[in-house]
Amino acid sequence: MAGIKEHIRGKDILNLIEQVQREKILVNMRLRKTDMELLTLIDGIQLSKRGPAFAVDLHADLKDGLASLNEPSLKFEFTDSNKVPCEFTASPVEISNERIWVLFPDVIYREQKREHFRIEAPLGTRLCFTKDAETYQMNVSDISMGGLLVTVRIKNSRDRILSVGERLRDIEIVFPLDRLQIREAVVVRQEEHAPNHTFHFGIQFKAIDGNERRVLKAILYNLQREFLARRAGIA
């Protein structure tokens, strides 16, 4: 896989594998150290003696290939529901009822095509800043470690507060349960959506203190876990 990789671990692995099973996403399975490769589906999840495992169909050729290796290893590749490539390597643990049970991996690698992974901001998240002695608040649509997207309605040019290239200083991002200070940011893009006069402004962070960066990273991590849980239908 090319690009930046996101590491999925812990309970998020269960959420993702359950999603792959529920949505019947095709998985490319390859027996490492051989040229054996085939498409399959995940059709079961259970707790084995060695830990959580998932099941795939046991093809005759695969059975022979597994028997020929002392420590067989399987590589899985699939595209999640957001069309993002994912991959992991795992070990078979049991064969029963024409299915092979495979241990959950320690990590699943998911490609991030963006430099910073964006995630939808919680409802009510606001960007607050002061300009020309006026205080403004804007709804935040999504956010990443590198910036955010705000959405505003502008009926005429006099209502336009931001412009591309404009620098904002000492801004505050207010989440439902947290708040964050950004020392400097710049407006890098603008998109207009007619006919409801909605504008999106992309804002890139230029200066953020180390402690605030750690807080932002923790917030995004929690939001991502909540997102995966919702997709898996357990939240």
Side-chain angles (χ1 to χ4, degrees), residues 50-68:
R50 293 175 55 186
F54 63 90
V56 295
D57 289 338
L58 180 61
H59 297 260
D61 291 342
L62 178 60
K63 186 175 183 179
D64 294 339
L66 290 170
S68 68

Side-chain angles (χ1 to χ4, degrees), residues 2 33-35 63 95 101 105 119 128 130 149 168 170 209 211 220-221 231 235:
K33 299 181 180 179
T34 74
D35 59 359
K63 186 175 183 179
I95 295 176
W101 289 91
I119 192 163
C128 304
T130 300
L149 186 74
L168 305 173
D170 299 321
D209 293 336
N211 185 61
L220 293 179
Y221 176 75
R231 293 299 300 266

Side-chain angles (χ1 to χ4, degrees), residues 114 118 141-144 147-152 162-166 186-193 199-204:
R114 305 180 60 97
R118 285 192 178 275
S141 300
D142 62 45
I143 188 168
S144 74
L148 52 80
L149 186 74
V150 296
T151 302
V152 294
L162 298 175
S163 58
V164 174
E166 182 175 0
V186 62
V187 182
V188 293
R189 64 185 174 91
Q190 169 189 307
E191 298 175 1
E192 181 179 1
H193 294 267
F199 282 75
H200 296 309
F201 291 95
I203 298 175
Q204 185 180 78

